[in-house]
Amino acid sequence: QVQLVESGGGLVQAGGSLRLSCAASGRTVSSLLMGWFRQAPGKEREFVAAVRWSVSSTYYADSVKGRFTISRDNAKNTVYLQMNSLKPEDTAVYYCAADPNYSKLYDPNYHYWGQGTQVTVSS
């Protein structure tokens, strides 16, 4: 089993920044694919970014490329999502997810999920 706990969401003005954290426990995270997804009201959950823990390869949705950065701290078993130049359309609940299958990548059906953290960007 893997437990994921997100933190760092909040309210920010357009153009501002936030950093989300996802603390992982329960299984050797070095073997996991870690991802961030988001879901806005009335919309489907969508891929935001992912990192392969063991090789540090990163992947991004086109909508956030150049603005968001995913990273991980092996010593803390924590994954981060640095979000810069935020836009009102980034408003959503952000979820951290993990899966032992590296091929999942953009697939929203990861095996493990956090509880989500709200990000609201005002115009």
Side-chain angles (χ1 to χ4, degrees), residues 5-6 13 38 41 46 58 62 75 83 91 93 107 114 117 119 121:
V5 179
E6 302 106 331
Q13 288 188 333
R38 66 187 182 186
E46 65 173 358
T58 56
D62 288 343
M83 305 185 295
T91 296
V93 177
D107 185 337
T117 185
V119 172
V121 184

Side-chain angles (χ1 to χ4, degrees), residues 42-62:
K43 294 187 176 181
E44 294 186 352
R45 190 170 297 186
E46 65 173 358
F47 171 82
V48 175
V51 59
R52 293 183 175 180
W53 203 290
S54 60
V55 298
S56 196
S57 300
T58 56
Y59 307 86
Y60 298 95
D62 288 343

Side-chain angles (χ1 to χ4, degrees), residues 5-119:
V5 179
E6 302 106 331
S7 61
L11 173 64
V12 65
Q13 288 188 333
S17 299
L18 282 174
R19 188 178 79 159
L20 305 183
S21 300
C22 173
S25 62
R27 174 174 169 163
T28 304
V29 296
S30 61
S31 64
L32 296 173
L33 171 67
M34 302 295 297
W36 285 97
F37 290 78
R38 66 187 182 186
Q39 188 166 19
K43 294 187 176 181
E44 294 186 352
R45 190 170 297 186
E46 65 173 358
F47 171 82
V48 175
V51 59
R52 293 183 175 180
W53 203 290
S54 60
V55 298
S56 196
S57 300
T58 56
Y59 307 86
Y60 298 95
D62 288 343
S63 59
V64 306
K65 203 171 292 184
R67 300 187 298 122
F68 291 11
T69 303
I70 189 171
S71 62
R72 86 270 191 267
D73 185 327
N74 289 351
K76 295 182 179 180
N77 281 353
T78 299
V79 175
Y80 303 98
L81 185 68
Q82 177 67 44
M83 305 185 295
N84 298 328
S85 301
L86 282 161
K87 304 175 181 180
E89 51 263 44
D90 294 318
T91 296
V93 177
Y94 283 70
Y95 296 91
C96 177
D99 200 288
N101 184 351
Y102 278 5
S103 68
K104 283 285 181 73
L105 203 52
Y106 306 106
D107 185 337
N109 297 309
Y110 280 39
H111 193 72
Y112 304 104
W113 291 87
Q115 80 284 358
T117 185
Q118 177 70 47
V119 172

